[in-house]
Amino acid sequence: MSTDTPSGLKPIAEGAEPEADDFIDITDVTCPITFVKAKVALDGLDVGQVLRIHLNGGEPLGNVPRSFTQEGQQVLGCQDHPDGTHELWVKKLVD
């Protein structure tokens, strides 16, 4: 289990993952493109829907949830993976 999850992110246990309406893997890009790709994916959803984001630790894990929160979206939580990647669930609250 990775230990670089930023404080304030709710950990989500395996088997307790929120149901997601869409998924994007942004492990192949670097900041600031990580948030841009995730934002475009969330923009394609309706208010109330949930996006699951697969991302790397470090800068992306710090910036992506913070940026969504600043835009008024709800970060439901994060799940760490042994390989240093993470799953993040974001609920769209505003267009």
Side-chain angles (χ1 to χ4, degrees):
M1 183 75 73
S2 174
T3 59
D4 66 349
T5 299
S7 62
L9 277 182
K10 177 185 171 189
I12 296 177
E14 190 171 329
E17 299 90 348
E19 186 173 330
D21 298 288
D22 201 2
F23 168 78
I24 186 168
D25 182 343
I26 57 171
T27 57
D28 61 339
V29 294
T30 58
C31 287
I33 302 303
T34 51
F35 178 66
V36 172
K37 285 187 81 168
K39 181 174 171 36
V40 167
L42 192 71
D43 285 347
L45 299 181
D46 293 328
V47 170
Q49 290 188 306
V50 174
L51 176 66
R52 180 170 61 101
I53 305 164
H54 186 74
L55 70 165
N56 292 317
E59 193 174 13
L61 186 59
N63 292 341
V64 171
R66 181 177 57 245
S67 296
F68 275 125
T69 300
Q70 289 172 346
E71 291 203 344
Q73 311 303 349
Q74 181 182 10
V75 177
L76 300 176
C78 181
Q79 188 176 77
D80 301 341
H81 298 294
D83 65 357
T85 64
H86 307 267
E87 301 295 323
L88 186 71
W89 285 264
V90 178
K91 184 175 185 177
K92 186 173 183 175
L93 298 181
V94 295
D95 275 327

